[in-house]
Amino acid sequence: MDNPVLVEVTRGNTVESRHRGSIAIVDADGKLAFGAGDVEQGIFARSAIKALQAIPMVESGAAEALNFDDAELALACASHNGEDVHAKSARMMLFKAGLTEQDLMCGPQWPKHMDDCVEIVKTDDSPCQLHNNCSGKHAGFLAMAKTLGIPTENYIDFDHPVQAEIRNVLEQMSGGVLAHDVCGTDGCSIPTYAMDQQKTALAFARFATGVGLDPIRANAAEVLYEACVNEPYMVAGKNRFCTEIMDIFKGRVFVKVGAEGVFCAALPELGFGVTLKCEDGSVRGAEVMMAATVRSLLNLSEEEEKGLRTWEHLQLKNRRDILVGEVRPVADFKRLLNTI
């Protein structure tokens, strides 16, 4: 099945470029409520499923034992900017577990924004693993291992007990089977899986509702959901889609970006999970797709409408700050969600 054009890029009054994509919107019983494109394809959701990867940390009791607060729990689900607040929070998570930055295996990374990079340079320092956008996730993995008495060495390996438990959670919540044949290596070095797009959406419907999960797992999902919507800045940071959308919707929506044009979302009031993929891997295309999807599904207040429109119609400006076009959903976007 060919994926439809869902987003267009204009210059003046002319469409200059187009982004194709696929969207799966699934309820907690696994029924495809709405969809567009090939929703049965295997996609590497990567960072979009960090909240699911954090479930074993909460479920095991490690988060409670180490007294992780909402900001730290949200950081465990984050692809953050590497701002000072993010790096310090990751360091504190490790400190609580009796570990240090040297125990991380995610690799160093410069912060996302230039002003944060400048602050590092001013001190004649270099970026470290704490600045890595996945440092909170890795700190959570290590915290779980240390609390349970599991070796912290090589915690990124496919057969390490932490990764095995994450795989068990993903399989149970999605109904998929995640073996070596669908396994790749993520940017932060952990295993990542080409999961069926529709089944990934099912996992987020269950994350949103707890349906189909045992009480301990449902509670862990609720704890992480609440932490992220209460502390959205820790999930991403300044000028970021995930942070601003969750701040706008005040608990109604959980959204999380992944690499190569992937987004996942959970909408508890509707009982839906969402997974989308911008076919060409474009982040801007994926952000507009997700904003338009949220609009299509929810009744919006005036404040929500105003905040969402900024991301649904991304302004394109030239180097003289002149508006030259926009990135926007196609006119029949909502109809396309009913094409399957």
Side-chain angles (χ1 to χ4, degrees), residues 142-154:
L142 284 165
M144 174 183 166
K146 187 65 179 295
T147 303
L148 297 182
I150 298 168
T152 56
E153 295 81 8
N154 301 316

Side-chain angles (χ1 to χ4, degrees), residues 72 75 80 82-95 130-131 135 234:
E72 291 160 341
L75 195 75
H80 60 74
E83 298 170 46
D84 191 52
V85 66
H86 300 126
K88 285 181 175 177
S89 187
R91 180 183 286 113
M92 180 55 68
M93 291 174 71
L94 292 167
F95 176 79
L130 297 170
H131 298 105
S135 64
M234 302 305 292

Side-chain angles (χ1 to χ4, degrees), residues 4 35 60 73 90 107 118 124 127 132 150 153 157 164 194-195 199 211 218 248 305 319:
S60 67
L73 291 172
V118 168
D124 291 324
N132 187 299
I150 298 168
E153 295 81 8
D157 289 353
M195 298 170 63
K199 289 180 179 178
V211 173
I248 290 165
E305 154 68 30
R319 290 177 179 84

